[in-house]
Amino acid sequence: MAKGDRAALAALEAGAEAQDQAPPRRSRTSGIERVLQILDHLQTKGEACTAYEVARAVGAPLSTVYGLIDDLVEKDVLERDPGGALWLGPRLYRYGLAYARNVDLLSAATSVMHRLAAQSGETVQICGRDGDDMVVLAMMEGRDHFQVTSRVGTRTPLNWTASGRLLVGHMSEEDLVALFARCGRPSPTGRAETDPVVLARSSREALAARLSIQAGESDFAVACIASPIQDPDGVCRATISIVVPERKAGPEAPDLVDLVRESAARVEAKLGWRR
């Protein structure tokens, strides 16, 4: 090898070695990801926040978040009240309506929800799962205007509610134990089960029975009677439930249980999911 070639090879090897030893490049957070972080924080928080609170929560530079927020407010993705607090804007509501119109499950469940509310006179909810939480997807209030604290968009730990347990009841016992060990939390009333093994067993049993009832676990004096909406593989994709005063959820109210089960089956039939 010629002297010049040896020098060139040595330089290449030295450059490669230096590159291997160089610290890894820091990954940059894209503008889209920052926007999603802002929206996710507001949705999870469930109430208006200042721009400073949002920036602290997402761990982004103030100047970056302030610039994005100003742009989002201008485009109606966020709205700012006179005091400067930020909340989700009307443009997101329009997107949500368009999405809901094209989701077969929610469309079928919503029509059945209205029928069940009329039959029972009680508040009815359609609920789904988002990670470790149960989320209220749709709701129809009953005639007696019983005060229900949860509204559309409300997130609740899976172990607090009848619907939450049904939504994961199709999982294996091992996966359920791991899930509840991670996400099971004490409820405000102190009555929600937190033992992962007990929760895993009750979830599977509730799904097999197509019925889950909880009373006073997430809210004082409030009960829920829920039934699963299952796809052809038996996976619980959503639930339909009646929310009632705790005194109405006992054995003396079999009609409500039958109505909820029949309503869940009606949704499955509309979707062609009845097995």
Side-chain angles (χ1 to χ4, degrees), residues 75-243:
K75 293 176 172 58
D76 289 335
V77 177
L78 295 179
E79 59 182 12
R80 183 185 279 121
D81 68 21
L86 300 159
W87 184 238
L88 305 177
R91 192 166 191 161
L92 294 177
Y93 180 67
R94 295 195 296 272
Y95 290 156
L97 289 177
Y99 176 77
R101 282 196 299 269
N102 290 281
V103 177
D104 290 341
L105 188 156
L106 194 54
S107 176
T110 300
S111 66
V112 174
M113 174 185 71
H114 285 272
R115 176 174 174 171
L116 177 57
Q119 288 177 312
S120 66
E122 307 291 350
T123 296
V124 180
Q125 293 181 339
I126 305 298
C127 298
R129 179 188 174 195
D130 184 8
D132 292 344
D133 292 328
M134 182 213 76
V135 182
V136 179
L137 303 176
M139 176 175 167
M140 180 71 181
E141 290 191 344
R143 291 190 297 267
D144 64 357
H145 301 293
F146 172 64
Q147 292 298 310
V148 178
T149 58
S150 58
R151 290 290 183 266
V152 173
T154 297
R155 303 167 69 92
T156 308
L158 292 169
N159 66 303
W160 290 9
T161 64
S163 289
R165 291 191 279 270
L166 286 171
L167 287 164
V168 294
H170 56 274
M171 297 170 61
S172 70
E173 185 170 359
E174 181 181 1
D175 288 343
L176 280 171
V177 170
L179 171 68
F180 285 122
R182 180 182 72 245
C183 71
R185 302 203 300 272
S187 66
T189 67
R191 293 169 64 179
E193 180 62 65
T194 57
D195 186 309
V197 175
V198 174
L199 286 165
R201 184 177 65 250
S202 64
S203 291
R204 291 170 64 84
E205 290 175 351
L207 189 66
R210 291 184 58 83
L211 179 70
S212 183
I213 300 176
Q214 69 86 8
E217 294 183 42
S218 59
D219 292 296
F220 291 102
V222 178
C224 182
I225 304 169
S227 189
I229 299 169
Q230 295 174 265
D231 69 15
D233 295 322
V235 175
C236 181
R237 296 297 182 184
T239 65
I240 186 165
S241 61
I242 291 179
V243 184

Side-chain angles (χ1 to χ4, degrees), residues 44-89:
T44 301
K45 185 73 173 176
E47 60 185 17
C49 302
T50 65
Y52 178 76
E53 291 170 337
V54 172
R56 288 289 301 274
V58 304
L62 292 177
S63 58
T64 299
V65 172
Y66 285 4
L68 287 172
I69 284 174
D70 287 342
D71 204 21
L72 293 171
V73 169
E74 182 181 347
K75 293 176 172 58
D76 289 335
V77 177
L78 295 179
E79 59 182 12
R80 183 185 279 121
D81 68 21
L86 300 159
W87 184 238
L88 305 177

